[in-house]
Amino acid sequence: MAILKVTRLGHPVLRKVTAIIPAEELQFPGMQDFIDDMIETMKDYDGVGLAADQVFESKQIAVLEVSENPRYPQKPKVPLTVLVNPRITPLSEDMEDDWEGCLSIPDLRGRVPRYKTIRVQALDRDGNELDFVAEDFHARVIQHEFDHLNGKVYLDRMRDFSTLTFLQEFARYWLRT
Ligand code: NI
């Protein structure tokens, strides 16, 4: 396993729509190794999610996990999940604003509106069909990663940039909001 380099904003790969993965391609040994590397990279960077294009592979794979995380304390836990070719459908029009950061946009954080409840359809790393409902922070993380796979970053979703803040100023001025 290996920790991969994470792309930063400005690299064109982050703005490309990623390619759908044929299910049989998941059986290639290199693909399973790559997914393991994505998981290890996400954990090493204290991320709660990582999309393949953030490690220079323009393919529809995202990994996510929320456990004890210093970047996002006191968030509900989400088990380690691998999403291949995900599709999401909002289950209501309800949206909620909350803070997001991104490993590809270091040191910054901003408030982003997201759907509160979504249906998620995808394949898992073995090609099995996944179909589940995600809510609140879980739904937020999936929408963030889904956006990556479609060439978008959270800045594109902000209503405006008035809450965009560096982490040091976040801790000093915004933490209680
Ligand atoms: Ni991100």
Side-chain angles (χ1 to χ4, degrees), residues 49 54 101-104 144-145 148 154:
Q54 289 184 276
C102 181
L103 299 180
S104 295
H144 179 116
E145 302 312 327
H148 273 304
Y154 78 85

Side-chain angles (χ1 to χ4, degrees), residues 1-7 33-42 44-45 50-52 54-57 103:
M1 296 216 286
I3 293 164
L4 306 171
K5 183 179 176 186
V6 174
T7 53
D33 290 345
F34 173 67
I35 292 171
D36 286 336
D37 289 348
M38 283 184 67
I39 292 167
E40 195 179 7
T41 303
M42 170 179 69
D44 190 71
Y45 279 80
L50 186 73
Q54 289 184 276
V55 288
F56 303 87
E57 281 289 332
L103 299 180

Side-chain angles (χ1 to χ4, degrees), residues 64-129:
L64 54 134
E65 180 180 38
V66 184
S67 52
E68 292 301 326
N69 190 307
R71 291 177 75 241
Y72 296 93
Q74 292 157 357
K75 290 292 186 189
K77 307 228 179 325
V78 175
L80 179 63
T81 310
V82 177
L83 299 177
V84 176
N85 305 335
R87 287 177 293 147
I88 62 178
T89 314
L91 292 182
S92 85
E93 295 294 306
D94 283 355
M95 299 189 88
E96 186 172 58
D97 284 36
D98 201 359
W99 295 99
E100 290 184 25
C102 181
L103 299 180
S104 295
I105 310 171
D107 293 333
L108 283 169
R109 196 160 276 195
R111 287 182 77 81
V112 185
R114 298 287 188 188
Y115 291 109
K116 277 176 68 73
T117 310
I118 57 171
R119 178 183 179 189
V120 182
Q121 294 163 284
L123 299 179
D124 70 12
R125 64 183 297 167
D126 300 313
N128 302 310
E129 307 247 0

